């Protein structure tokens, strides 16, 4: 494909970008504001009712939003998405999550399509032999065959797409990345002498907050530590009850959802980052912590092993094993030099491979190439 140096054609007309993506996910606003900031025309279509301030948004879902229900809407609301697309007349469509927004966009939009695989959308989620896995694979292949390009956020997802038969020439891999100016190292240790631990994952089953709570309850010297879990989710109240049951109310603070600016400040004053996730694409939460120089203690899953060298840049544990996590936390608490050395290296690693501004530019370049190829084909 021909590479353009600017996302405008020879007449100076800005590109019209239709983004089909849930507005409650941070990357939707990031993409929308980035392209709008370049002077492009942007329209967001979302199955979630949140808005992106300053960017036109059309809500096509139902309220209240439930990520686990109403999945048929990605099919039944495709005509509404199509009507919005016809009215907006995009030059290119960007859809995140293959089996939801990607499916709607593939069914509804005539414009060139770029889809983005983020994690659970391309993995088998059910027991081996379950017909739902087969159905998901059929949808993934349909969406990828319809798309001009398929972006994914990790090497693991790239391999999965190849296994599903997607052409390597149409797969492009890079993480979303993090804002390195916002997420930067701060002052440590905390003035009160406690070891500050933090988890910025949501209270949803896949992130397994109970394993973190059970591990902290196993620590003999837990009077030395403080754990903040900054995230929302439908299990938040259940986890608050679990904190009380474990007698951790003086150790653990469940803050609920917090804005990015506050998360950045929390990370900058923390010593240890914890994630017990059972599955991820590339975890922006992990990259944010690494950018802030916070020592990661994370589950041993492919998304994390791609970024963390166990025993050097961080420590790992088997998903669901609170005993292993407790052991890793004890080691991290004791070894301040390991934490310091890893913090410096992890910051460099994110600067090299996880810079949000650089990776947004790569996304823009991909859209440019798709638009240019389409215009050449129509000439």
């Amino acid at each position: 494909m021909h590479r353009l140096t600017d996302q405008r054609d020879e007449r100076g007309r800005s590109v019209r970008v239709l983004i089909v993506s849930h507005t409650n996910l941070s990357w939707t606003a990031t993409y929308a504001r980035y392209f709008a900031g370049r002077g492009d025309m942007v329209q967001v279509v979302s199955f979630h009712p949140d808005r992106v301030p300053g960017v036109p948004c059309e809500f096509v879902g139902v309220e209240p939003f439930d990520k686990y229900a109403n999945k048929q809407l990605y099919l039944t609301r495709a005509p509404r998405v199509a009507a919005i697309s016809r009215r907006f007349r995009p030059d290119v469509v960007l859809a995140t999550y293959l089996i939801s927004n990607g499916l709607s966009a593939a069914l509804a939009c005539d414009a060139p399509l770029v889809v983005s695989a983020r994690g659970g959308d391309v993995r088998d989620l059910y027991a081996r032999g379950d017909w739902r896995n087969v159905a998901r694979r059929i949808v993934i292949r349909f969406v990828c065959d319809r798309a001009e390009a398929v972006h994914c956020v990790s090497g693991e997802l790239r391999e999965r797409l190849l296994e599903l038969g997607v052409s390597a020439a149409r797969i492009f891999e890079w993480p979303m990345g993090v804002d390195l100016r916002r997420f930067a190292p701060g002052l440590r240790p905390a003035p009160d002498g406690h070891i500050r631990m933090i988890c910025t994952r949501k209270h949803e089953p896949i992130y397994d907050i109970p394993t973190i709570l059970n591990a902290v309850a196993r620590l003999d010297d837990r009077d030395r530590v403080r754990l903040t879990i900054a995230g929302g989710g439908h299990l938040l109240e259940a986890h608050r009850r679990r904190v009380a049951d474990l007698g951790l109310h003086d150790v653990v603070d469940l803050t609920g959802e917090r804005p990015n600016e506050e998360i950045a400040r929390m990370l900058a004053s923390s010593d240890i980052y914890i994630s017990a996730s059972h599955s991820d694409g590339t975890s922006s939460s992990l990259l944010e912590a690494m950018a802030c120089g916070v020592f990661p203690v994370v589950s041993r899953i492919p998304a994390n092993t791609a970024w963390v060298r166990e025993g050097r840049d961080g420590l790992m544990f088997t998903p669901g094993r609170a005993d292993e996590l407790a052991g890793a936390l004890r080691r991290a608490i004791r070894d301040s030099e390991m934490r310091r050395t890893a913090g410096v290296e992890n910051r460099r690693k994110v600067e090299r491979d996880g810079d949000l501004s650089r990776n947004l530019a790569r996304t823009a370049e991909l859209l440019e190439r798709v638009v240019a190829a389409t215009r050449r084909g129509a000439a």
Side-chain angles (χ1 to χ4, degrees):
M1 293 183 181
H2 177 64
R3 175 175 173 174
L4 303 181
T5 57
D6 189 271
Q7 203 170 345
R8 288 159 181 75
D9 66 13
E10 63 276 9
R11 298 185 303 277
R13 178 172 61 88
S14 63
V15 166
R16 304 175 71 86
V17 183
L18 179 67
I19 299 174
V20 186
S21 184
H22 289 358
T23 44
N24 64 320
L25 300 174
S26 61
W27 59 67
T28 305
T30 299
Y31 283 135
R33 290 171 180 149
Y34 177 78
F35 287 111
R38 289 164 55 93
D40 297 314
M41 300 293 292
V42 178
Q43 170 72 60
V44 174
V45 175
S46 176
F47 287 84
H48 190 280
D50 282 0
R51 315 293 293 182
V52 178
V55 177
C57 298
E58 295 241 15
F59 172 54
V60 294
V62 296
E63 295 189 81
F65 176 80
D66 185 342
K67 65 181 291 185
Y68 300 107
N70 301 318
K71 293 184 181 296
Q72 76 281 357
L73 290 177
Y74 300 116
L75 291 171
T76 60
R77 296 296 171 91
R80 288 185 59 180
V81 178
I84 296 167
S85 181
R86 286 193 299 270
R87 185 169 67 248
F88 181 65
R89 295 178 291 106
D91 296 305
V92 64
V93 179
L94 174 63
T96 66
Y97 279 128
L98 271 59
I99 62 171
S100 54
N101 299 304
L103 176 60
S104 286
L107 291 169
C109 302
D110 294 328
L113 174 64
V114 175
V115 293
S116 181
R118 316 301 288 203
D121 51 339
V122 298
R123 298 192 186 95
D124 287 346
L125 298 184
Y126 306 101
R128 188 171 182 177
D130 193 309
W131 67 268
R132 289 173 293 183
N133 288 330
V134 177
R136 285 168 61 88
R137 292 174 206 152
I138 292 171
V139 170
I140 292 166
R141 281 300 307 271
F142 167 75
V143 172
C144 291
D145 287 346
R146 165 68 179 81
E148 300 293 327
V150 181
H151 165 252
C152 61
V153 297
S154 72
E156 179 198 7
L157 299 184
R158 178 185 179 86
E159 292 303 313
R160 178 60 177 159
L161 289 167
L162 290 171
E163 290 172 5
L164 292 170
V166 181
S167 168
R170 293 166 57 226
I171 302 174
F172 300 83
E173 175 203 339
W174 53 81
M176 187 75 187
V178 298
D179 184 339
L180 294 174
R181 293 172 298 179
R182 174 179 292 170
F183 292 93
L187 296 175
R188 298 183 188 87
D192 59 8
H194 287 113
I195 298 295
R196 299 284 178 179
M197 305 190 299
I198 187 168
C199 171
T200 55
R201 311 315 300 264
K202 293 183 181 296
H203 294 268
E204 301 291 348
I206 195 171
Y207 300 122
D208 196 6
I209 300 299
T211 287
I212 298 176
L213 299 177
N214 292 338
V216 172
R218 289 170 175 260
L219 297 178
D220 297 328
D221 53 353
R222 67 190 192 204
D223 289 343
R224 291 186 57 202
V225 304
R226 293 294 181 267
L227 169 64
T228 298
I229 302 180
H234 80 284
L235 295 176
L236 175 58
E237 293 307 317
H239 293 161
R240 284 187 169 137
R241 292 192 293 272
R242 182 62 177 163
V243 167
D245 291 343
L246 292 170
L248 295 175
H249 55 278
D250 291 333
V251 178
V252 178
D253 180 18
L254 305 185
T255 69
E257 198 74 37
R258 287 294 181 267
N260 270 351
E261 293 79 4
E262 189 172 345
I263 293 293
R265 289 194 296 270
M266 290 177 175
L267 285 168
S269 61
S270 297
D271 303 287
I272 298 170
Y273 167 82
I274 309 172
S275 174
S277 177
H278 287 240
S279 178
D280 258 316
T282 289
S283 169
S284 292
S285 296
L286 172 60
L287 267 57
E288 289 167 356
M290 292 172 65
C292 291
V294 187
F295 185 82
V297 179
V298 295
S299 50
R300 193 180 294 105
I301 58 175
N304 293 336
T305 58
W307 288 90
V308 176
R309 296 174 298 178
E310 189 166 2
R312 297 177 62 183
D313 306 327
L315 297 175
M316 292 187 166
F317 60 95
T318 304
R321 290 289 300 272
D323 57 333
E324 290 187 19
L325 172 54
L329 291 175
R330 292 187 192 101
R331 181 179 172 188
I333 290 167
R334 289 195 306 265
D335 198 336
S336 60
E337 180 59 22
M338 176 178 65
R339 298 198 310 266
R340 187 198 66 78
T341 302
V344 173
E345 176 56 30
N346 286 340
R347 172 71 186 187
R348 291 192 188 120
K349 191 181 305 182
V350 178
E351 287 176 344
R352 183 180 66 242
D353 299 323
D355 183 346
L356 174 64
S357 61
R358 185 180 303 131
N359 291 341
L360 284 173
R362 296 170 78 178
T363 303
E365 180 182 333
L366 177 59
L367 298 191
E368 291 166 5
R369 292 166 65 183
V370 168
V371 171
T374 302
R375 288 175 178 168
R376 286 199 307 272

